[in-house]
Amino acid sequence: MTEPIISIDRVNHYFGSGNLKKQILFSIHADVDPGEVVIMTGPSGSGKTTLLTLIGALRSTQEGSLKVLGEELRNSTEKQRVALRRNIGYIFQSHNLLKSLKAKQNVMMALELHTHLSSQEQADMAEEMLKAVGLEDRMNYYPDELSGGQKQRVAIARALVSNPKLVLADEPTAALDKKSGRDVVEIMRSLAKDRGSAIVMVTHDNRILDVADRLIHMEDGELESYDLETQALPEKAIALG
C-alpha cells in the first residue's frame, strides 16, 4: 500500500500563551495520497491557512502527529523543516517575485538547490514551465512589466518547475480571470496525476472546486471531508464565492 504524502492525526494548534492562549485547530485528522488533488474551503478565520503552514513545515506541530513526505513535524527543528521545505512547491496569494529578476530567472531560482542540473538544463526547464502556463512571450519580462495574473502564473511556474512531490497553494487563482484560473488549476492537476504529486489548495473560488478529488471544509478549526466521486459538492462550500 502506498504511504500517504501527508498524514495528520489528532493535531491541535494554539496561538498565544497563558490567559491569552487560544486553540485554533481541533483534533485534525486527514491523509493525502500521491496523485490526489485536495481543495480546502471555509470562511476566513476558520484555520485553513494555519493548517496549510503546518503542512508546509513553516512552523512546528505542537500536538498530535503530522507527517509530510515521511517526515514527522511534531517538535521538529528549524533545520529539519528547512530541509523538508526544499521538496515542497508553494503558491501563495502574494506572488513574492524578485523585481530585479526576469520571469525566467525567477522560475530558475527554484532549481538552484538542484546542483545535479546544469545551468542550461535549469534554463530549459524554466522555459518549458513558463510555456505550460502560457507565458512563452513573457519570459524575459520583469515583474513590474507583467499584469497581476501574469505574475501569479510565474509564481505557479516557479512552484512546479522542480517537480515537487507536494504542492501547497493558497488562493492560486485569486488574481486570474475565469479562463486563466481554470488553465492554471488544470496544469496543477496534470502535475499531480502524471508525476504522483499531491496538491492541497485553499480557495474561495467555487468555479474550480470540481477539479478536486476530495473537498475538505474547515469550520471553527474542525475538518469535514467530502469525496467528490461519491458525493455532490456541499452547499456550504458552493456558497463560498
Side-chain angles (χ1 to χ4, degrees):
M1 185 175 178
T2 304
E3 183 179 354
I5 284 181
I6 301 169
S7 183
I8 308 172
D9 184 28
R10 290 171 292 183
V11 164
N12 298 310
H13 196 77
Y14 308 84
F15 287 150
S17 59
N19 292 334
L20 298 177
K21 187 175 182 179
K22 181 179 180 181
Q23 188 164 0
I24 304 299
L25 300 178
F26 297 81
S27 194
I28 301 297
H29 177 85
D31 288 338
V32 178
D33 294 324
E36 191 172 24
V37 179
V38 176
I39 287 182
M40 192 186 327
T41 65
S44 297
S46 60
K48 304 185 303 299
T49 297
T50 298
L51 180 57
L52 203 68
T53 56
L54 287 174
I55 294 170
L58 298 173
R59 53 165 57 102
S60 180
T61 301
Q62 298 169 343
E63 292 181 2
S65 173
L66 199 167
K67 292 182 179 179
V68 176
L69 301 175
E71 296 289 328
E72 175 61 65
L73 291 178
R74 181 175 180 179
N75 298 324
S76 58
T77 66
E78 179 63 18
K79 184 177 179 180
Q80 290 171 318
R81 294 195 296 276
V82 168
L84 181 60
R85 290 199 292 266
R86 292 171 180 164
N87 298 303
I88 300 174
Y90 299 90
I91 306 167
F92 296 112
Q93 271 182 286
S94 54
H95 30 74
N96 296 328
L97 302 180
L98 290 179
K99 293 184 177 181
S100 61
L101 297 181
K102 296 176 182 179
K104 186 170 77 170
Q105 294 170 318
N106 266 287
V107 175
M108 288 176 65
M109 280 189 62
L111 299 170
E112 285 185 349
L113 295 173
H114 298 260
T115 53
H116 63 286
L117 296 172
S118 68
S119 296
Q120 187 59 54
E121 287 173 322
Q122 292 180 9
D124 290 345
M125 290 172 67
E127 289 181 9
E128 181 181 350
M129 188 55 66
L130 285 167
K131 288 178 182 176
V133 297
L135 290 178
E136 60 270 16
D137 59 343
R138 295 289 188 273
M139 293 185 188
N140 293 312
Y141 282 54
Y142 289 98
D144 285 346
E145 299 172 318
L146 301 173
S147 69
Q150 289 169 339
K151 291 176 186 177
Q152 186 68 319
R153 290 189 188 207
V154 175
I156 289 164
R158 181 181 58 191
L160 303 186
V161 69
S162 63
N163 299 330
K165 287 296 182 183
L166 174 61
V167 176
L168 302 177
D170 191 357
E171 300 285 1
T173 64
L176 304 178
D177 58 37
K178 181 177 181 180
K179 182 182 185 305
S180 297
R182 168 62 60 171
D183 290 344
V184 160
V185 296
E186 289 290 357
I187 290 166
M188 294 168 64
R189 189 173 194 271
S190 176
L191 171 79
K193 300 303 179 185
D194 293 347
R195 305 173 191 175
S197 304
I199 294 177
V200 178
M201 185 188 317
V202 169
T203 189
H204 286 93
D205 188 350
N206 57 28
R207 301 169 302 181
I208 62 170
L209 297 184
D210 60 303
V211 173
D213 298 304
R214 186 153 48 92
L215 191 68
I216 290 177
H217 185 75
M218 178 79 81
E219 191 97 28
D220 296 328
E222 297 182 351
L223 278 185
E224 296 176 77
S225 185
Y226 302 85
D227 185 337
L228 299 189
E229 289 186 2
T230 59
Q231 294 173 282
L233 292 175
E235 289 199 9
K236 62 174 66 175
I238 294 173
L240 286 175

